[in-house]
PDB file of all heavy atoms in Angstrom:
ATOM      1  N   PHE A   1     -16.423   1.278 -11.732  1.00  0.00           N
ATOM      2  CA  PHE A   1     -17.390   2.333 -12.036  1.00  0.00           C
ATOM      3  C   PHE A   1     -18.832   1.858 -11.914  1.00  0.00           C
ATOM      4  O   PHE A   1     -19.732   2.680 -11.725  1.00  0.00           O
ATOM      5  CB  PHE A   1     -17.118   2.908 -13.427  1.00  0.00           C
ATOM      6  CG  PHE A   1     -15.877   3.754 -13.479  1.00  0.00           C
ATOM      7  CD1 PHE A   1     -14.764   3.344 -14.195  1.00  0.00           C
ATOM      8  CD2 PHE A   1     -15.815   4.959 -12.790  1.00  0.00           C
ATOM      9  CE1 PHE A   1     -13.613   4.127 -14.231  1.00  0.00           C
ATOM     10  CE2 PHE A   1     -14.667   5.738 -12.811  1.00  0.00           C
ATOM     11  CZ  PHE A   1     -13.569   5.323 -13.534  1.00  0.00           C
ATOM     12  N   THR A   2     -19.069   0.562 -12.012  1.00  0.00           N
ATOM     13  CA  THR A   2     -20.432   0.067 -11.833  1.00  0.00           C
ATOM     14  C   THR A   2     -20.759  -0.238 -10.377  1.00  0.00           C
ATOM     15  O   THR A   2     -21.924  -0.421 -10.028  1.00  0.00           O
ATOM     16  CB  THR A   2     -20.667  -1.201 -12.684  1.00  0.00           C
ATOM     17  OG1 THR A   2     -19.682  -2.188 -12.351  1.00  0.00           O
ATOM     18  CG2 THR A   2     -20.583  -0.880 -14.168  1.00  0.00           C
ATOM     19  N   ASP A   3     -19.729  -0.304  -9.523  1.00  0.00           N
ATOM     20  CA  ASP A   3     -19.939  -0.506  -8.085  1.00  0.00           C
ATOM     21  C   ASP A   3     -19.106   0.525  -7.326  1.00  0.00           C
ATOM     22  O   ASP A   3     -18.438   0.226  -6.339  1.00  0.00           O
ATOM     23  CB  ASP A   3     -19.523  -1.934  -7.706  1.00  0.00           C
ATOM     24  CG  ASP A   3     -20.037  -2.355  -6.336  1.00  0.00           C
ATOM     25  OD1 ASP A   3     -20.827  -1.596  -5.734  1.00  0.00           O
ATOM     26  OD2 ASP A   3     -19.626  -3.419  -5.843  1.00  0.00           O
ATOM     27  N   PHE A   4     -19.187   1.783  -7.806  1.00  0.00           N
ATOM     28  CA  PHE A   4     -18.289   2.834  -7.337  1.00  0.00           C
ATOM     29  C   PHE A   4     -18.449   3.101  -5.850  1.00  0.00           C
ATOM     30  O   PHE A   4     -17.460   3.312  -5.141  1.00  0.00           O
ATOM     31  CB  PHE A   4     -18.540   4.122  -8.124  1.00  0.00           C
ATOM     32  CG  PHE A   4     -17.654   5.259  -7.729  1.00  0.00           C
ATOM     33  CD1 PHE A   4     -16.365   5.354  -8.238  1.00  0.00           C
ATOM     34  CD2 PHE A   4     -18.091   6.236  -6.847  1.00  0.00           C
ATOM     35  CE1 PHE A   4     -15.528   6.398  -7.875  1.00  0.00           C
ATOM     36  CE2 PHE A   4     -17.269   7.287  -6.482  1.00  0.00           C
ATOM     37  CZ  PHE A   4     -15.983   7.371  -6.995  1.00  0.00           C
ATOM     38  N   ARG A   5     -19.671   3.086  -5.353  1.00  0.00           N
ATOM     39  CA  ARG A   5     -19.900   3.461  -3.952  1.00  0.00           C
ATOM     40  C   ARG A   5     -19.141   2.534  -3.005  1.00  0.00           C
ATOM     41  O   ARG A   5     -18.607   2.988  -1.987  1.00  0.00           O
ATOM     42  CB  ARG A   5     -21.395   3.412  -3.652  1.00  0.00           C
ATOM     43  CG  ARG A   5     -21.740   3.904  -2.251  1.00  0.00           C
ATOM     44  CD  ARG A   5     -23.234   4.005  -2.060  1.00  0.00           C
ATOM     45  NE  ARG A   5     -23.556   4.524  -0.747  1.00  0.00           N
ATOM     46  CZ  ARG A   5     -24.799   4.748  -0.330  1.00  0.00           C
ATOM     47  NH1 ARG A   5     -25.818   4.482  -1.136  1.00  0.00           N
ATOM     48  NH2 ARG A   5     -25.018   5.216   0.881  1.00  0.00           N
ATOM     49  N   ARG A   6     -19.067   1.246  -3.331  1.00  0.00           N
ATOM     50  CA  ARG A   6     -18.337   0.310  -2.467  1.00  0.00           C
ATOM     51  C   ARG A   6     -16.848   0.326  -2.771  1.00  0.00           C
ATOM     52  O   ARG A   6     -16.015   0.457  -1.869  1.00  0.00           O
ATOM     53  CB  ARG A   6     -18.874  -1.120  -2.636  1.00  0.00           C
ATOM     54  CG  ARG A   6     -18.074  -2.150  -1.830  1.00  0.00           C
ATOM     55  CD  ARG A   6     -18.628  -3.550  -1.988  1.00  0.00           C
ATOM     56  NE  ARG A   6     -18.355  -4.137  -3.277  1.00  0.00           N
ATOM     57  CZ  ARG A   6     -17.222  -4.798  -3.561  1.00  0.00           C
ATOM     58  NH1 ARG A   6     -16.253  -4.914  -2.671  1.00  0.00           N
ATOM     59  NH2 ARG A   6     -17.046  -5.321  -4.765  1.00  0.00           N
ATOM     60  N   LEU A   7     -16.481   0.192  -4.040  1.00  0.00           N
ATOM     61  CA  LEU A   7     -15.089  -0.020  -4.402  1.00  0.00           C
ATOM     62  C   LEU A   7     -14.233   1.239  -4.297  1.00  0.00           C
ATOM     63  O   LEU A   7     -13.008   1.153  -4.321  1.00  0.00           O
ATOM     64  CB  LEU A   7     -15.000  -0.607  -5.814  1.00  0.00           C
ATOM     65  CG  LEU A   7     -15.521  -2.037  -5.934  1.00  0.00           C
ATOM     66  CD1 LEU A   7     -15.555  -2.475  -7.392  1.00  0.00           C
ATOM     67  CD2 LEU A   7     -14.659  -2.994  -5.114  1.00  0.00           C
ATOM     68  N   ASN A   8     -14.846   2.405  -4.156  1.00  0.00           N
ATOM     69  CA  ASN A   8     -14.066   3.617  -3.961  1.00  0.00           C
ATOM     70  C   ASN A   8     -13.513   3.709  -2.541  1.00  0.00           C
ATOM     71  O   ASN A   8     -12.676   4.569  -2.250  1.00  0.00           O
ATOM     72  CB  ASN A   8     -14.931   4.852  -4.250  1.00  0.00           C
ATOM     73  CG  ASN A   8     -14.107   6.130  -4.280  1.00  0.00           C
ATOM     74  OD1 ASN A   8     -13.067   6.192  -4.922  1.00  0.00           O
ATOM     75  ND2 ASN A   8     -14.578   7.148  -3.578  1.00  0.00           N
ATOM     76  N   HIS A   9     -13.917   2.815  -1.664  1.00  0.00           N
ATOM     77  CA  HIS A   9     -13.419   2.800  -0.278  1.00  0.00           C
ATOM     78  C   HIS A   9     -12.187   1.902  -0.219  1.00  0.00           C
ATOM     79  O   HIS A   9     -12.299   0.684  -0.261  1.00  0.00           O
ATOM     80  CB  HIS A   9     -14.511   2.270   0.661  1.00  0.00           C
ATOM     81  CG  HIS A   9     -14.157   2.414   2.112  1.00  0.00           C
ATOM     82  ND1 HIS A   9     -14.182   3.618   2.772  1.00  0.00           N
ATOM     83  CD2 HIS A   9     -13.747   1.499   3.019  1.00  0.00           C
ATOM     84  CE1 HIS A   9     -13.823   3.442   4.038  1.00  0.00           C
ATOM     85  NE2 HIS A   9     -13.546   2.173   4.216  1.00  0.00           N
ATOM     86  N   ARG A  10     -10.994   2.492  -0.138  1.00  0.00           N
ATOM     87  CA  ARG A  10      -9.748   1.740  -0.177  1.00  0.00           C
ATOM     88  C   ARG A  10      -8.992   1.901   1.140  1.00  0.00           C
ATOM     89  O   ARG A  10      -9.271   2.791   1.940  1.00  0.00           O
ATOM     90  CB  ARG A  10      -8.841   2.193  -1.330  1.00  0.00           C
ATOM     91  CG  ARG A  10      -9.439   2.256  -2.718  1.00  0.00           C
ATOM     92  CD  ARG A  10     -10.251   1.067  -3.138  1.00  0.00           C
ATOM     93  NE  ARG A  10      -9.705  -0.230  -2.806  1.00  0.00           N
ATOM     94  CZ  ARG A  10     -10.405  -1.361  -2.937  1.00  0.00           C
ATOM     95  NH1 ARG A  10     -11.662  -1.338  -3.363  1.00  0.00           N
ATOM     96  NH2 ARG A  10      -9.850  -2.510  -2.627  1.00  0.00           N
ATOM     97  N   MET A  11      -8.000   1.034   1.346  1.00  0.00           N
ATOM     98  CA  MET A  11      -7.198   1.021   2.571  1.00  0.00           C
ATOM     99  C   MET A  11      -5.756   1.418   2.241  1.00  0.00           C
ATOM    100  O   MET A  11      -5.021   0.670   1.607  1.00  0.00           O
ATOM    101  CB  MET A  11      -7.220  -0.380   3.208  1.00  0.00           C
ATOM    102  CG  MET A  11      -6.396  -0.489   4.477  1.00  0.00           C
ATOM    103  SD  MET A  11      -6.003  -2.203   4.898  1.00  0.00           S
ATOM    104  CE  MET A  11      -4.752  -2.565   3.636  1.00  0.00           C
ATOM    105  N   HIS A  12      -5.340   2.599   2.674  1.00  0.00           N
ATOM    106  CA  HIS A  12      -3.988   3.088   2.412  1.00  0.00           C
ATOM    107  C   HIS A  12      -3.051   2.894   3.606  1.00  0.00           C
ATOM    108  O   HIS A  12      -1.901   3.321   3.547  1.00  0.00           O
ATOM    109  CB  HIS A  12      -4.037   4.567   2.025  1.00  0.00           C
ATOM    110  CG  HIS A  12      -4.641   4.807   0.676  1.00  0.00           C
ATOM    111  ND1 HIS A  12      -3.887   4.921  -0.473  1.00  0.00           N
ATOM    112  CD2 HIS A  12      -5.937   4.930   0.283  1.00  0.00           C
ATOM    113  CE1 HIS A  12      -4.670   5.120  -1.513  1.00  0.00           C
ATOM    114  NE2 HIS A  12      -5.927   5.130  -1.080  1.00  0.00           N
ATOM    115  N   ASN A  13      -3.526   2.262   4.675  1.00  0.00           N
ATOM    116  CA  ASN A  13      -2.691   2.045   5.863  1.00  0.00           C
ATOM    117  C   ASN A  13      -1.523   1.121   5.546  1.00  0.00           C
ATOM    118  O   ASN A  13      -1.655   0.201   4.735  1.00  0.00           O
ATOM    119  CB  ASN A  13      -3.518   1.433   6.992  1.00  0.00           C
ATOM    120  CG  ASN A  13      -4.792   2.196   7.266  1.00  0.00           C
ATOM    121  OD1 ASN A  13      -5.599   2.376   6.360  1.00  0.00           O
ATOM    122  ND2 ASN A  13      -4.979   2.624   8.481  1.00  0.00           N
ATOM    123  N   LYS A  14      -0.412   1.373   6.218  1.00  0.00           N
ATOM    124  CA  LYS A  14       0.774   0.533   6.046  1.00  0.00           C
ATOM    125  C   LYS A  14       1.403   0.278   7.417  1.00  0.00           C
ATOM    126  O   LYS A  14       1.677   1.222   8.150  1.00  0.00           O
ATOM    127  CB  LYS A  14       1.781   1.203   5.114  1.00  0.00           C
ATOM    128  CG  LYS A  14       1.202   1.575   3.743  1.00  0.00           C
ATOM    129  CD  LYS A  14       2.139   2.478   2.985  1.00  0.00           C
ATOM    130  CE  LYS A  14       1.469   3.013   1.717  1.00  0.00           C
ATOM    131  NZ  LYS A  14       0.427   4.026   2.040  1.00  0.00           N
ATOM    132  N   LEU A  15       1.642  -0.984   7.724  1.00  0.00           N
ATOM    133  CA  LEU A  15       2.235  -1.347   9.006  1.00  0.00           C
ATOM    134  C   LEU A  15       2.925  -2.702   8.862  1.00  0.00           C
ATOM    135  O   LEU A  15       2.422  -3.576   8.150  1.00  0.00           O
ATOM    136  CB  LEU A  15       1.160  -1.418  10.096  1.00  0.00           C
ATOM    137  CG  LEU A  15       1.638  -1.592  11.538  1.00  0.00           C
ATOM    138  CD1 LEU A  15       2.430  -0.370  11.997  1.00  0.00           C
ATOM    139  CD2 LEU A  15       0.453  -1.820  12.472  1.00  0.00           C
ATOM    140  N   PHE A  16       4.060  -2.837   9.520  1.00  0.00           N
ATOM    141  CA  PHE A  16       4.855  -4.066   9.446  1.00  0.00           C
ATOM    142  C   PHE A  16       5.348  -4.354  10.855  1.00  0.00           C
ATOM    143  O   PHE A  16       6.116  -3.569  11.416  1.00  0.00           O
ATOM    144  CB  PHE A  16       6.028  -3.837   8.479  1.00  0.00           C
ATOM    145  CG  PHE A  16       6.863  -5.042   8.188  1.00  0.00           C
ATOM    146  CD1 PHE A  16       6.771  -5.695   6.968  1.00  0.00           C
ATOM    147  CD2 PHE A  16       7.768  -5.521   9.127  1.00  0.00           C
ATOM    148  CE1 PHE A  16       7.561  -6.802   6.702  1.00  0.00           C
ATOM    149  CE2 PHE A  16       8.545  -6.624   8.873  1.00  0.00           C
ATOM    150  CZ  PHE A  16       8.445  -7.265   7.651  1.00  0.00           C
ATOM    151  N   VAL A  17       4.899  -5.458  11.468  1.00  0.00           N
ATOM    152  CA  VAL A  17       5.260  -5.789  12.849  1.00  0.00           C
ATOM    153  C   VAL A  17       5.832  -7.200  12.891  1.00  0.00           C
ATOM    154  O   VAL A  17       5.211  -8.140  12.370  1.00  0.00           O
ATOM    155  CB  VAL A  17       4.050  -5.686  13.795  1.00  0.00           C
ATOM    156  CG1 VAL A  17       4.483  -5.947  15.235  1.00  0.00           C
ATOM    157  CG2 VAL A  17       3.378  -4.321  13.685  1.00  0.00           C
ATOM    158  N   ALA A  18       6.983  -7.349  13.511  1.00  0.00           N
ATOM    159  CA  ALA A  18       7.635  -8.651  13.632  1.00  0.00           C
ATOM    160  C   ALA A  18       7.713  -9.053  15.092  1.00  0.00           C
ATOM    161  O   ALA A  18       8.234  -8.293  15.927  1.00  0.00           O
ATOM    162  CB  ALA A  18       9.038  -8.604  13.026  1.00  0.00           C
ATOM    163  N   ASP A  19       7.205 -10.215  15.413  1.00  0.00           N
ATOM    164  CA  ASP A  19       7.232 -10.782  16.772  1.00  0.00           C
ATOM    165  C   ASP A  19       6.627  -9.851  17.811  1.00  0.00           C
ATOM    166  O   ASP A  19       6.942  -9.949  19.002  1.00  0.00           O
ATOM    167  CB  ASP A  19       8.667 -11.140  17.178  1.00  0.00           C
ATOM    168  CG  ASP A  19       9.146 -12.433  16.519  1.00  0.00           C
ATOM    169  OD1 ASP A  19       8.325 -13.111  15.866  1.00  0.00           O
ATOM    170  OD2 ASP A  19      10.337 -12.759  16.651  1.00  0.00           O
ATOM    171  N   GLY A  20       5.760  -8.935  17.398  1.00  0.00           N
ATOM    172  CA  GLY A  20       5.162  -7.995  18.341  1.00  0.00           C
ATOM    173  C   GLY A  20       6.168  -7.093  19.011  1.00  0.00           C
ATOM    174  O   GLY A  20       5.836  -6.384  19.966  1.00  0.00           O
ATOM    175  N   ALA A  21       7.403  -7.096  18.525  1.00  0.00           N
ATOM    176  CA  ALA A  21       8.491  -6.403  19.211  1.00  0.00           C
ATOM    177  C   ALA A  21       9.037  -5.222  18.432  1.00  0.00           C
ATOM    178  O   ALA A  21       9.420  -4.209  19.026  1.00  0.00           O
ATOM    179  CB  ALA A  21       9.627  -7.384  19.499  1.00  0.00           C
ATOM    180  N   MET A  22       9.127  -5.337  17.126  1.00  0.00           N
ATOM    181  CA  MET A  22       9.661  -4.266  16.290  1.00  0.00           C
ATOM    182  C   MET A  22       8.726  -4.034  15.114  1.00  0.00           C
ATOM    183  O   MET A  22       8.109  -4.975  14.603  1.00  0.00           O
ATOM    184  CB  MET A  22      11.066  -4.592  15.801  1.00  0.00           C
ATOM    185  CG  MET A  22      12.084  -4.667  16.922  1.00  0.00           C
ATOM    186  SD  MET A  22      13.787  -4.717  16.311  1.00  0.00           S
ATOM    187  CE  MET A  22      14.686  -4.732  17.869  1.00  0.00           C
ATOM    188  N   ALA A  23       8.639  -2.781  14.692  1.00  0.00           N
ATOM    189  CA  ALA A  23       7.694  -2.424  13.636  1.00  0.00           C
ATOM    190  C   ALA A  23       8.329  -1.431  12.680  1.00  0.00           C
ATOM    191  O   ALA A  23       9.264  -0.705  13.026  1.00  0.00           O
ATOM    192  CB  ALA A  23       6.421  -1.839  14.237  1.00  0.00           C
ATOM    193  N   ILE A  24       7.784  -1.407  11.461  1.00  0.00           N
ATOM    194  CA  ILE A  24       8.120  -0.386  10.474  1.00  0.00           C
ATOM    195  C   ILE A  24       6.810   0.291  10.084  1.00  0.00           C
ATOM    196  O   ILE A  24       5.846  -0.379   9.716  1.00  0.00           O
ATOM    197  CB  ILE A  24       8.803  -0.979   9.234  1.00  0.00           C
ATOM    198  CG1 ILE A  24      10.151  -1.606   9.605  1.00  0.00           C
ATOM    199  CG2 ILE A  24       9.005   0.087   8.157  1.00  0.00           C
ATOM    200  CD1 ILE A  24      10.827  -2.336   8.461  1.00  0.00           C
ATOM    201  N   ALA A  25       6.779   1.608  10.187  1.00  0.00           N
ATOM    202  CA  ALA A  25       5.589   2.370   9.820  1.00  0.00           C
ATOM    203  C   ALA A  25       6.023   3.558   8.967  1.00  0.00           C
ATOM    204  O   ALA A  25       7.064   4.160   9.208  1.00  0.00           O
ATOM    205  CB  ALA A  25       4.850   2.850  11.062  1.00  0.00           C
ATOM    206  N   GLY A  26       5.216   3.882   7.968  1.00  0.00           N
ATOM    207  CA  GLY A  26       5.554   4.994   7.092  1.00  0.00           C
ATOM    208  C   GLY A  26       4.812   4.899   5.785  1.00  0.00           C
ATOM    209  O   GLY A  26       3.746   4.290   5.697  1.00  0.00           O
ATOM    210  N   GLY A  27       5.387   5.480   4.740  1.00  0.00           N
ATOM    211  CA  GLY A  27       4.652   5.653   3.504  1.00  0.00           C
ATOM    212  C   GLY A  27       4.923   4.658   2.402  1.00  0.00           C
ATOM    213  O   GLY A  27       4.260   4.709   1.357  1.00  0.00           O
ATOM    214  N   ARG A  28       5.885   3.750   2.559  1.00  0.00           N
ATOM    215  CA  ARG A  28       6.255   2.885   1.448  1.00  0.00           C
ATOM    216  C   ARG A  28       5.292   1.715   1.270  1.00  0.00           C
ATOM    217  O   ARG A  28       4.984   1.000   2.217  1.00  0.00           O
ATOM    218  CB  ARG A  28       7.669   2.327   1.637  1.00  0.00           C
ATOM    219  CG  ARG A  28       8.762   3.352   1.438  1.00  0.00           C
ATOM    220  CD  ARG A  28      10.147   2.711   1.487  1.00  0.00           C
ATOM    221  NE  ARG A  28      11.197   3.693   1.269  1.00  0.00           N
ATOM    222  CZ  ARG A  28      11.865   4.314   2.238  1.00  0.00           C
ATOM    223  NH1 ARG A  28      11.583   4.034   3.510  1.00  0.00           N
ATOM    224  NH2 ARG A  28      12.786   5.206   1.967  1.00  0.00           N
ATOM    225  N   ASN A  29       4.847   1.538   0.032  1.00  0.00           N
ATOM    226  CA  ASN A  29       4.199   0.295  -0.356  1.00  0.00           C
ATOM    227  C   ASN A  29       5.274  -0.738  -0.657  1.00  0.00           C
ATOM    228  O   ASN A  29       6.475  -0.431  -0.682  1.00  0.00           O
ATOM    229  CB  ASN A  29       3.311   0.523  -1.586  1.00  0.00           C
ATOM    230  CG  ASN A  29       2.043   1.271  -1.246  1.00  0.00           C
ATOM    231  OD1 ASN A  29       1.196   0.794  -0.496  1.00  0.00           O
ATOM    232  ND2 ASN A  29       1.908   2.474  -1.796  1.00  0.00           N
ATOM    233  N   LEU A  30       4.836  -1.967  -0.903  1.00  0.00           N
ATOM    234  CA  LEU A  30       5.799  -3.060  -1.101  1.00  0.00           C
ATOM    235  C   LEU A  30       5.925  -3.384  -2.590  1.00  0.00           C
ATOM    236  O   LEU A  30       5.461  -4.404  -3.073  1.00  0.00           O
ATOM    237  CB  LEU A  30       5.347  -4.287  -0.292  1.00  0.00           C
ATOM    238  CG  LEU A  30       5.098  -4.029   1.196  1.00  0.00           C
ATOM    239  CD1 LEU A  30       4.676  -5.309   1.904  1.00  0.00           C
ATOM    240  CD2 LEU A  30       6.335  -3.434   1.861  1.00  0.00           C
ATOM    241  N   ALA A  31       6.557  -2.480  -3.316  1.00  0.00           N
ATOM    242  CA  ALA A  31       6.725  -2.640  -4.757  1.00  0.00           C
ATOM    243  C   ALA A  31       8.043  -1.991  -5.179  1.00  0.00           C
ATOM    244  O   ALA A  31       8.615  -1.171  -4.447  1.00  0.00           O
ATOM    245  CB  ALA A  31       5.549  -2.010  -5.500  1.00  0.00           C
ATOM    246  N   ASP A  32       8.525  -2.355  -6.368  1.00  0.00           N
ATOM    247  CA  ASP A  32       9.839  -1.902  -6.830  1.00  0.00           C
ATOM    248  C   ASP A  32      10.017  -0.393  -6.732  1.00  0.00           C
ATOM    249  O   ASP A  32      11.073   0.100  -6.298  1.00  0.00           O
ATOM    250  CB  ASP A  32      10.045  -2.332  -8.292  1.00  0.00           C
ATOM    251  CG  ASP A  32      10.436  -3.790  -8.428  1.00  0.00           C
ATOM    252  OD1 ASP A  32      10.721  -4.430  -7.398  1.00  0.00           O
ATOM    253  OD2 ASP A  32      10.452  -4.292  -9.569  1.00  0.00           O
ATOM    254  N   GLU A  33       9.000   0.380  -7.172  1.00  0.00           N
ATOM    255  CA  GLU A  33       9.158   1.829  -7.275  1.00  0.00           C
ATOM    256  C   GLU A  33       9.286   2.522  -5.926  1.00  0.00           C
ATOM    257  O   GLU A  33       9.658   3.702  -5.865  1.00  0.00           O
ATOM    258  CB  GLU A  33       7.990   2.434  -8.062  1.00  0.00           C
ATOM    259  CG  GLU A  33       6.611   2.168  -7.509  1.00  0.00           C
ATOM    260  CD  GLU A  33       5.974   0.916  -8.087  1.00  0.00           C
ATOM    261  OE1 GLU A  33       6.715  -0.012  -8.474  1.00  0.00           O
ATOM    262  OE2 GLU A  33       4.729   0.872  -8.137  1.00  0.00           O
ATOM    263  N   TYR A  34       9.007   1.815  -4.830  1.00  0.00           N
ATOM    264  CA  TYR A  34       9.153   2.407  -3.494  1.00  0.00           C
ATOM    265  C   TYR A  34      10.524   2.105  -2.875  1.00  0.00           C
ATOM    266  O   TYR A  34      10.826   2.611  -1.791  1.00  0.00           O
ATOM    267  CB  TYR A  34       8.039   1.909  -2.580  1.00  0.00           C
ATOM    268  CG  TYR A  34       6.688   2.442  -2.998  1.00  0.00           C
ATOM    269  CD1 TYR A  34       5.903   1.745  -3.906  1.00  0.00           C
ATOM    270  CD2 TYR A  34       6.219   3.656  -2.513  1.00  0.00           C
ATOM    271  CE1 TYR A  34       4.675   2.239  -4.316  1.00  0.00           C
ATOM    272  CE2 TYR A  34       4.996   4.156  -2.912  1.00  0.00           C
ATOM    273  CZ  TYR A  34       4.231   3.445  -3.817  1.00  0.00           C
ATOM    274  OH  TYR A  34       3.015   3.943  -4.231  1.00  0.00           O
ATOM    275  N   PHE A  35      11.327   1.311  -3.572  1.00  0.00           N
ATOM    276  CA  PHE A  35      12.659   0.960  -3.063  1.00  0.00           C
ATOM    277  C   PHE A  35      13.739   1.225  -4.112  1.00  0.00           C
ATOM    278  O   PHE A  35      14.787   0.588  -4.109  1.00  0.00           O
ATOM    279  CB  PHE A  35      12.675  -0.507  -2.624  1.00  0.00           C
ATOM    280  CG  PHE A  35      11.725  -0.795  -1.489  1.00  0.00           C
ATOM    281  CD1 PHE A  35      10.450  -1.277  -1.729  1.00  0.00           C
ATOM    282  CD2 PHE A  35      12.102  -0.551  -0.173  1.00  0.00           C
ATOM    283  CE1 PHE A  35       9.563  -1.529  -0.688  1.00  0.00           C
ATOM    284  CE2 PHE A  35      11.224  -0.807   0.879  1.00  0.00           C
ATOM    285  CZ  PHE A  35       9.953  -1.293   0.619  1.00  0.00           C
ATOM    286  N   LEU A  36      13.457   2.154  -5.029  1.00  0.00           N
ATOM    287  CA  LEU A  36      14.405   2.555  -6.087  1.00  0.00           C
ATOM    288  C   LEU A  36      14.855   1.364  -6.918  1.00  0.00           C
ATOM    289  O   LEU A  36      16.013   1.304  -7.354  1.00  0.00           O
ATOM    290  CB  LEU A  36      15.620   3.269  -5.472  1.00  0.00           C
ATOM    291  CG  LEU A  36      15.321   4.535  -4.655  1.00  0.00           C
ATOM    292  CD1 LEU A  36      16.627   5.165  -4.169  1.00  0.00           C
ATOM    293  CD2 LEU A  36      14.502   5.541  -5.444  1.00  0.00           C
ATOM    294  N   ARG A  37      13.944   0.423  -7.181  1.00  0.00           N
ATOM    295  CA  ARG A  37      14.290  -0.771  -7.948  1.00  0.00           C
ATOM    296  C   ARG A  37      13.559  -0.824  -9.287  1.00  0.00           C
ATOM    297  O   ARG A  37      13.643  -1.813 -10.007  1.00  0.00           O
ATOM    298  CB  ARG A  37      13.975  -2.033  -7.141  1.00  0.00           C
ATOM    299  CG  ARG A  37      14.632  -2.071  -5.773  1.00  0.00           C
ATOM    300  CD  ARG A  37      14.292  -3.348  -5.035  1.00  0.00           C
ATOM    301  NE  ARG A  37      15.163  -4.452  -5.399  1.00  0.00           N
ATOM    302  CZ  ARG A  37      14.876  -5.737  -5.184  1.00  0.00           C
ATOM    303  NH1 ARG A  37      13.726  -6.066  -4.627  1.00  0.00           N
ATOM    304  NH2 ARG A  37      15.734  -6.680  -5.518  1.00  0.00           N
ATOM    305  N   SER A  38      12.815   0.226  -9.614  1.00  0.00           N
ATOM    306  CA  SER A  38      12.078   0.261 -10.873  1.00  0.00           C
ATOM    307  C   SER A  38      12.929   0.905 -11.960  1.00  0.00           C
ATOM    308  O   SER A  38      13.679   1.854 -11.706  1.00  0.00           O
ATOM    309  CB  SER A  38      10.774   1.045 -10.710  1.00  0.00           C
ATOM    310  OG  SER A  38      10.142   1.233 -11.962  1.00  0.00           O
ATOM    311  N   ASP A  39      12.809   0.405 -13.186  1.00  0.00           N
ATOM    312  CA  ASP A  39      13.555   0.958 -14.317  1.00  0.00           C
ATOM    313  C   ASP A  39      12.865   2.168 -14.932  1.00  0.00           C
ATOM    314  O   ASP A  39      13.464   2.870 -15.751  1.00  0.00           O
ATOM    315  CB  ASP A  39      13.746  -0.115 -15.394  1.00  0.00           C
ATOM    316  CG  ASP A  39      14.617  -1.265 -14.918  1.00  0.00           C
ATOM    317  OD1 ASP A  39      15.505  -1.009 -14.082  1.00  0.00           O
ATOM    318  OD2 ASP A  39      14.394  -2.409 -15.371  1.00  0.00           O
ATOM    319  N   SER A  40      11.602   2.428 -14.562  1.00  0.00           N
ATOM    320  CA  SER A  40      10.854   3.508 -15.205  1.00  0.00           C
ATOM    321  C   SER A  40      10.679   4.727 -14.305  1.00  0.00           C
ATOM    322  O   SER A  40      10.966   5.859 -14.710  1.00  0.00           O
ATOM    323  CB  SER A  40       9.478   2.996 -15.658  1.00  0.00           C
ATOM    324  OG  SER A  40       8.768   2.420 -14.567  1.00  0.00           O
ATOM    325  N   ALA A  41      10.198   4.539 -13.070  1.00  0.00           N
ATOM    326  CA  ALA A  41       9.972   5.664 -12.161  1.00  0.00           C
ATOM    327  C   ALA A  41      10.034   5.167 -10.727  1.00  0.00           C
ATOM    328  O   ALA A  41       9.685   4.014 -10.444  1.00  0.00           O
ATOM    329  CB  ALA A  41       8.622   6.321 -12.441  1.00  0.00           C
TER     330      ALA A  41
END
């Protein structure tokens, strides 16, 4: 809140590329709740 103008600019892009040959693109972040592994939500 004291540096809102800068810190409000975030990066929501997601991309996963292996050996330049295969990729995964979509909406999942890399955390428990995106892979049905969370006990809460």
Side-chain angles (χ1 to χ4, degrees):
F1 288 112
T2 56
D3 195 7
F4 181 82
R5 185 173 182 178
R6 176 179 73 86
L7 291 173
N8 189 48
H9 189 74
R10 308 314 317 170
M11 179 198 73
H12 290 266
N13 309 57
K14 304 168 189 72
L15 188 65
F16 186 106
V17 184
D19 283 353
M22 295 192 178
I24 296 174
R28 288 186 179 96
N29 286 296
L30 306 181
D32 281 351
E33 58 269 28
Y34 292 90
F35 297 95
L36 301 183
R37 305 181 84 199
S38 172
D39 295 329
S40 55

